[in-house]
Amino acid sequence: METHLLFITLGTFALALLVVAVLLLLRRRRSTLPQEEGWMTDDMVEQIIDLGVLSERQVPDEVLDLPEVSREEERFWSETWDEPERYWD
């Protein structure tokens, strides 16, 4: 009889942990969705695909630091790359 009570208690505890984990996962997912201006939505992407431009909502300039992007791009392309080693000869 004590064994059954132990399994029922452990099962209930495991079920409670599972419910808490699912609720935390759902809350985290909901909080990571883009909620501020400047995020690309599916509708915005579809409009770009259909029309070629985004006309109704423009991404603000402060989202990207264009001079920093240019510097990083220049740095990337100016790096030298080693040739891959050949493992067969």
Side-chain angles (χ1 to χ4, degrees), residues 23-41:
L23 290 175
L24 287 174
L25 178 67
L26 290 175
R27 190 176 90 184
R28 181 182 299 164
R29 262 194 166 164
R30 208 172 293 130
S31 68
T32 58
L33 292 176
Q35 297 175 355
E36 59 187 61
E37 292 293 316
W39 287 88
M40 295 292 287
T41 63

Side-chain angles (χ1 to χ4, degrees), residues 2 9 35 66 75 80:
E2 291 177 12
T9 304
Q35 297 175 355
L66 295 179
R75 184 192 61 78
T80 58

Side-chain angles (χ1 to χ4, degrees), residues 7-89:
F7 284 125
I8 290 173
T9 304
L10 288 176
T12 304
F13 183 70
L15 183 63
L17 283 176
L18 180 65
V19 168
V20 168
V22 167
L23 290 175
L24 287 174
L25 178 67
L26 290 175
R27 190 176 90 184
R28 181 182 299 164
R29 262 194 166 164
R30 208 172 293 130
S31 68
T32 58
L33 292 176
Q35 297 175 355
E36 59 187 61
E37 292 293 316
W39 287 88
M40 295 292 287
T41 63
D42 290 339
D43 293 334
M44 294 167 78
V45 172
E46 287 178 17
Q47 182 182 16
I48 292 171
I49 292 171
D50 292 341
L51 303 175
V53 294
L54 183 60
S55 61
E56 63 184 54
R57 276 181 66 182
Q58 296 295 327
V59 178
D61 290 337
E62 56 269 359
V63 172
L64 293 176
D65 182 8
L66 295 179
E68 177 67 23
V69 171
S70 289
R71 283 191 300 272
E72 285 299 315
E73 183 180 11
E74 186 64 34
R75 184 192 61 78
F76 175 81
W77 290 113
S78 67
E79 288 183 4
T80 58
W81 301 94
D82 296 335
E83 291 295 322
E85 294 180 19
R86 294 183 63 158
Y87 291 107
W88 59 90
D89 283 325

